Amino acid sequence: MRVYDNPVIGGFHPDPSVCRVGDDYYLVCSSFEYFPGLPLFHSRDLVHWEQIGNVLDRPGQLPLPLPGSKASGGLYAPTIRHHDGRYWVISTNIDGGGNFVVSAERPEGPWSDPVWIDLSGIDPDLAWEEDGTCWCAFSGPRGGINMARIDPVTGEVLEGPFRTWSGSGLKFPEAPHLYRIGDWWYLLIAEGGTERGHGVSIARGRSPRGPWEGAPGNPLLSHSGTARSIQNTGHADLVQAPDGSWWMVLLGVRPRGFTPDVHVLGRETYLTPVEWREDGWPVVAPVPENHAAPGGAWHPVPAPPARDDFDAVALAPHWISPFARPEASWSLTERPGRLVLHATGPTLDAPGYTFVGRRQQHHDCRVSTLIDPGTGRGGLCVRLDEAHHYELEAGDAEVSVVARIGPLRQTLARRPAPAGPLHLTVRMRTSDLVPASPHLTGGGATGPDTVDFWLGDPDAPDARPIAELDGRYLSTEVACGFTGRVIGMYATQGSVAFDWFEYVPSPTPSV
Ligand code: 6LW
């Protein structure tokens, strides 16, 4: 029996939505202030997911930088569906324009420019009746789940919006998805808020207009108040496999540290089975850390290479940049085999800087790069947002560790560095934790991990870190918002060349 491990897509991949076309599954996640936006994944078994692109990968598709956008702004929860031979994604640009639909003939794209829909709210869904009527359920601006009939081609609102079933009474009913299953219409929602009280609830009715009957025992699924290692479970989408089995993708987090525990990898994508009772209600067990895989063939996909040598003419789809990535700010051709970044902002403390990064997907990992700062300044940055980031910076014949935590910014250490290319490493470790609050009673309080910074190879015989920091301050609970850590290369002065970038997961000690 094949067993899969959760999360099926680790790192900051929240608000997953999935659809199946034949034997192929496609999944999109929210991406907030990052460009390209709305990462798109493909799978043949619901377990192994390969990022095949991003739905919004052309600066012209959305006004970028998103007007006035801030961290955790931008692109909120999407829904992906396949209807009438086309792929459809509906989402929300919270910083400008609101709800929009894009469509494509092929999932790899090209995806259309947005068709804007005059509905205010978030978490829009798409569902069609057999006669082609298209419904958009969404989380309304004054709370509650709303419904409207729309034309997804023109964006016209044909009817509504009107308020509909909104859960069992927990706060923040959101993330609605409408399904026709057998003789019933089902309305699946999230409620309780996307933190530790998150849950999934469901109702059914004979029409998209209702009336709706909430499932006995809603929320259908919640880890709230449990000792489970996976928390914040919610924001789900249902999909049926070719063998008739039903599955749910949803978001969750893996908190670390104590107490309180915090999460640093963002809200990740999880998979859990769904059973249907004789009485037509679904049953969803708590989200397992691992579980028997869906039936059918097992389709492993190639993991992104640990090292990117920047030999290609385009950046791989998992590379993301906050707010925008102006064409003039980066090049893979100026110095073939290197990523050259041109500074567009003097610090990482305000949007407008040059940064190319990838999501941190493992609690224990190390990131290295070979950087040639030339006469510029740049380095490696572990980022939550403009007020919560740690840097290992090279330039002016030194390397330095800089920490920005809320209103505080400090250069914690400097070390002379030779001219020419430098090997920089940042490690995230959940062992040897720096006590988060040594003054606390018991002294056992620790952050989620330790972040340490190195010039050269940490495994070299005489290696010693330049600095060591508590990772607590780069957690979502401290920084607030909807994202997780992104680790990347940046330039804040002149032009900086990166010969390669390496991301290597390390075995996580058992908790
Ligand atoms: C999303 C809402 C939520 O739109 O948080 O998890 C918002 N729930 O459904 C941002 O992810």
Side-chain angles (χ1 to χ4, degrees), residues 337-353:
R338 286 169 179 75
L339 171 64
V340 176
L341 296 183
H342 301 294
T344 52
T347 78
L348 301 174
D349 297 343
Y353 49 85

Side-chain angles (χ1 to χ4, degrees), residues 77-331:
T79 296
I80 187 168
R81 294 292 182 254
H82 186 259
H83 174 76
D84 235 1
R86 282 189 77 81
Y87 294 84
W88 302 83
V89 167
I90 188 168
S91 181
T92 311
N93 175 6
I94 202 80
D95 286 318
N99 290 299
F100 64 90
V101 172
V102 290
S103 65
E105 197 173 319
R106 300 172 54 251
E108 297 80 5
W111 289 81
S112 70
D113 286 345
V115 173
W116 298 97
I117 300 172
D118 185 16
L119 288 172
S120 55
I122 59 172
D123 299 357
D125 176 58
L126 289 174
W128 283 266
E129 293 188 58
E130 285 185 0
D131 66 2
T133 299
C134 180
W135 289 97
C136 175
F138 60 98
S139 177
R142 280 171 293 285
I145 303 298
N146 287 234
M147 295 267 286
R149 218 163 31 86
I150 68 168
D151 178 335
V153 176
T154 65
E156 186 184 356
V157 177
L158 305 173
E159 179 186 358
F162 52 84
R163 184 167 170 135
T164 187
W165 182 78
S166 298
S168 66
L170 297 176
K171 70 177 180 178
F172 301 152
E174 53 196 4
H177 290 304
L178 192 58
Y179 312 89
R180 176 67 191 265
I181 303 173
D183 296 332
W184 293 98
W185 284 88
Y186 289 89
L187 179 56
L188 184 80
I189 73 165
E191 57 178 335
T194 195
E195 297 78 21
R196 298 288 189 270
H198 215 192
V200 181
S201 293
I202 197 165
R204 70 185 181 190
R206 294 297 185 185
S207 154
R209 299 171 188 279
W212 297 101
E213 173 197 6
N218 271 331
L220 185 65
L221 167 68
S222 175
H223 285 198
S224 183
T226 71
R228 292 185 166 274
S229 63
I230 301 165
Q231 287 291 320
N232 297 32
T233 48
H235 202 114
D237 201 3
L238 295 176
V239 67
Q240 186 175 26
D243 67 359
S245 62
W246 282 88
W247 297 81
M248 177 187 278
V249 295
L250 72 163
L251 74 79
V253 301
R254 290 180 282 169
R256 289 288 188 277
F258 179 85
T259 178
D261 52 18
V262 296
H263 70 281
V264 300
L265 301 181
R267 297 168 300 158
E268 305 171 287
T269 289
Y270 289 76
L271 177 71
T272 197
V274 179
E275 302 294 336
W276 292 88
R277 293 187 334 206
E278 288 298 314
D279 62 4
W281 288 116
V283 177
V284 185
V287 179
E289 292 182 359
N290 49 60
H291 190 275
W298 189 248
H299 292 275
V301 295
R307 175 179 285 206
D308 192 331
D309 283 304
F310 302 122
D311 294 330
V313 293
L315 286 171
H318 64 266
W319 290 113
I320 51 178
S321 298
F323 311 109
R325 187 190 292 156
E327 286 301 305
S329 67
W330 65 281
S331 170

